[in-house]
Every structure is written in structure tokens, then in C-alpha cells.
Amino acid sequence: MDHLFTPFQLKGIKLKNRVVMPPMCQYSVTNKDGIATDWHFMHYVSRAIGGASLIIIEMTDVDPDGRITDYDLGLWSDEQIPQLKRIVDACHQYGAKVGIQIAHAGRKAEDAEIPVAPSAIPFDANSKTPRALSTEEVKEMVEKFRMAVRRAVQAGVDVIELHGAHGYLIHQFQSHITNQRTDEYGKELTKFGKDVIQAAKSEMPEDMPLIMRISAREYVDGGYGINESIEFSREYQKAGVDMFHVSAGGEGPIAADGRPGTHVAYQVPLARAIKQALNIPVIAVGRLDEPSLANSVIGNEDADLVAVGRGMLRNPYWTLEAATVLHKETGIPRQYDRGFPKN
């Protein structure tokens, strides 16, 4: 039976275990130029040394005004490739595969003078009102995603993840709450996402997996639920998505009667529903920091991979610790061997 330390094959890549470091913004580009810094290098490479099989570099934006803040990573310029490649090469040296999350924040771009979005609807009363993109600008945005994916491939990543969750631009297009357009991108809410998927695939090697992060449930008044997310995910799967990274929320202020659970594994049922409905691999996320719990998600076939976010922020060597707790074999660096008791 599969468990947290069994290998996993996804198209052309083989992961040594089922532990994923999910993308978590560091807001650490001190020069505001989108170029990765020494902080990013140490942050990601330490998790590779710590045993994670797949490291997904944080939300990396396709346009300067598509950043959440001016301190975020970018891939709108060739100048941003070398420092990312340095990180990827080092993570490979320590046995991890590397993905990168390609994104645009849309109306949630806090430092943009005037954010852009599908429709001119602000996130909340304290947010800037975005400018609605013209149809031609939407097509240009698809091209920006395509070029960012091209640069990511040049940087040597193993996996591309498109950020279609948490209320950012792709999510804004697929939600009826934020997409009030009357053109082709409003009549078909998945069209922008599908166009981005197809653009990304055009730049990726045939055997490179494409992951899409989705919010499988919105927690806002009138927001969509799991039945709707299964249907739009089905469209994205047809367009070329190989795996879904299943999260939730982010599209607006949480409704009083829609607050998500705070218990461990509260989002796992969403991942399981997507996996079963579409017969597609999924990554589960959301308070899965306890090793036996993460192990059970794999063993019970709720998901194929487990993302450990905050736990890995606290402990870069979470994966090595989990192997010790679960009495599983994993590759402990010889330099650290004395720190981990034999199983």
C-alpha cells in the first residue's frame, strides 16, 4: 500500500516521496525587480536538503503590476532567469524536483497604481477599484503567461503550476462574482484559464507535468462550491492540466455562514472529490503537518501528494523528521545522520 515515502511518477518526473513544499510568498525581493535573492536560495535549497520531493517556488508573476506586492518574484524579463536557475540547479543537486507557480494577482495587486481584472469590482471596501481589461488586453495577458512559462522552462524547472486559486486573476475570470464581462471571456468563464493552459503547454516539453492550483470552494456569499469546481476543473483537464493542487477560498471577504473549518485536514475532502470525479492526480493541502495524518491522506487514497506549508516554514527538515516518526526509510544527508535515530 502506498504511503508518504513511496515514490510517485507524474509524466516525465519521478518523485522520491509524496511530500511537497507548496508555494508560499516570501515578499523578499528587496530591490523590487522580481529577481530572486540569497534569501530565496537558502529558503528553497534548505527544504531540498530537508527531503521534500517536490518544491514549488512561490507565486511568480507575469507582469510588474501583477504582483501582490513589489517585493514578489517575477518572470516578465529574461534578467530574472539566472537567479531562479541557480535555485533550481541547487535543489536538483540535493534530490528534489522543482516547480514554479506562475500567476497574476489581478485585482489583488496591492502595489499596482491601478490593478486590472476581468471586471471593475474591488476585493473589498479597503481595496483599489481595478480597471477591466479589454478583450485585446486579455489576449495579451495570455501571451504574458506564455512567455513566463518559457522563461521558467529555460530556468530548468521540472513542473509548471498555474495559480488559479485564492482570488487571483485566473480565479477572478472563472468566478461569476468577479467576472461580469459580456465578451467571449465573460460568456465562457473558463475561457481565460483554458487559453492560459494551452499557452503554457505550447512552451513545455511533452513530458513535463502541468499542475493547476484551484480554489475548490469559495467562502463568499453566492460563491461556488465543489460541484461547480468539479465542472470547471473538468474543462481545465481537457485543456491539458495533469494534476490539481486543491485549496479553497480567497475570492472575497468570508461570509458569516461560510467560514471554513479550522480543524486539521479540513480541505482534504475537496481534494478527494476532485480526484474521484475526474480520475486525476491531486495534491492535498491544509493543516497536514502531523506526519501520521499526512501519511493517512496517501494511504487512504484521498490524494496522491501532500503539501506541507506552515510545517515546513517552521522546520526545513520536516520530511526527514516525518520519516523518523513513521519509521520509513528516506535519504538522510550523511552530514546530518547523527541527528536522526535509526529506524
Side-chain angles (χ1 to χ4, degrees):
M1 180 175 288
D2 288 338
H3 55 74
L4 198 60
F5 288 90
T6 48
F8 181 73
Q9 184 88 30
L10 183 62
K11 296 188 76 172
I13 70 165
K14 186 173 184 178
L15 304 178
K16 62 185 179 180
N17 59 50
R18 308 300 184 95
V19 182
V20 178
M21 180 186 183
M24 294 174 285
C25 289
Q26 297 296 290
Y27 307 111
S28 296
V29 181
T30 50
N31 291 333
K32 302 183 180 182
D33 55 8
I35 297 175
T37 66
D38 284 347
W39 173 266
H40 297 96
F41 182 87
M42 291 184 291
H43 174 64
Y44 291 112
V45 177
S46 63
R47 275 71 186 178
I49 294 171
S53 67
L54 175 61
I55 292 168
I56 305 178
I57 293 172
E58 66 203 77
M59 180 172 171
T60 302
D61 300 290
V62 304
D63 185 87
D65 284 339
R67 294 173 286 180
I68 303 172
T69 77
D70 287 345
Y71 300 95
D72 295 349
L73 291 177
L75 264 178
W76 62 80
S77 167
D78 289 353
E79 294 177 358
Q80 293 153 340
I81 297 173
Q83 289 305 312
L84 281 174
K85 187 176 189 305
R86 175 175 173 246
I87 292 170
V88 173
D89 290 348
C91 288
H92 284 164
Q93 181 181 346
Y94 296 108
K97 303 297 184 183
V98 184
I100 190 167
Q101 187 183 71
I102 305 298
H104 189 292
R107 69 176 187 169
K108 295 178 81 172
E110 297 172 7
D111 288 343
E113 184 176 353
I114 303 175
V116 296
S119 302
I121 303 170
F123 178 75
D124 59 23
N126 299 315
S127 301
K128 299 171 185 175
T129 298
R131 178 180 64 80
L133 292 159
S134 70
T135 303
E136 184 58 34
E137 286 175 321
V138 175
K139 295 181 186 298
E140 291 170 358
M141 188 67 72
V142 173
E143 178 67 9
K144 290 179 181 180
F145 271 88
R146 186 180 72 81
M147 291 303 296
V149 171
R150 174 183 289 186
R151 295 184 182 104
V153 171
Q154 290 173 355
V157 301
D158 305 286
V159 178
I160 298 293
E161 178 172 289
L162 297 175
H163 200 348
H166 300 165
Y168 299 117
L169 190 62
I170 294 175
H171 185 174
Q172 290 164 31
F173 271 94
Q174 77 192 18
S175 175
H176 68 273
I177 293 172
T178 46
N179 187 344
Q180 302 294 322
R181 302 173 69 91
T182 57
D183 67 354
E184 58 190 302
Y185 290 98
K187 294 175 181 176
E188 184 183 356
L189 298 182
T190 58
K191 179 171 173 52
F192 178 70
K194 290 191 294 185
D195 284 359
V196 170
I197 291 164
Q198 290 164 354
K201 297 288 279 192
S202 74
E203 296 292 340
M204 296 165 59
E206 186 67 29
D207 63 348
M208 179 181 286
L210 178 64
I211 301 172
M212 191 170 196
R213 196 169 207 188
I214 61 165
S215 285
R217 179 183 171 189
E218 292 180 311
Y219 294 109
V220 299
D221 284 325
Y224 64 70
I226 187 62
N227 291 332
E228 292 86 353
S229 63
I230 286 172
E231 291 310 308
F232 70 64
S233 296
R234 194 186 309 278
E235 292 300 308
Y236 294 151
Q237 181 184 23
K238 291 176 184 175
V241 170
D242 300 299
M243 171 178 261
F244 287 104
H245 191 169
V246 184
S247 188
E251 189 45 37
I254 296 173
D257 61 350
R259 188 166 296 278
T262 56
H263 51 277
V264 298
Y266 71 98
Q267 295 188 118
V268 169
L270 300 173
R272 180 174 60 241
I274 296 289
K275 176 180 172 67
Q276 292 177 346
L278 303 182
N279 191 29
I280 192 170
V282 298
I283 305 172
V285 66
R287 302 198 64 191
L288 302 176
D289 300 352
E290 204 282 316
S292 62
L293 174 62
N295 193 50
S296 73
V297 171
I298 302 301
N300 292 330
E301 299 183 347
D302 294 323
D304 301 274
L305 303 175
V306 171
V308 178
R310 288 173 176 82
M312 221 173 277
L313 288 180
R314 292 191 300 271
N315 179 7
Y317 311 107
W318 184 93
T319 309
L320 302 181
E321 293 274 11
T324 300
V325 169
L326 296 171
H327 305 292
K328 302 296 184 183
E329 292 294 331
T330 193
I332 295 172
R334 61 174 178 77
Q335 297 92 335
Y336 292 168
D337 192 59
R338 287 170 292 174
F340 294 88
K342 298 297 182 183
N343 293 337

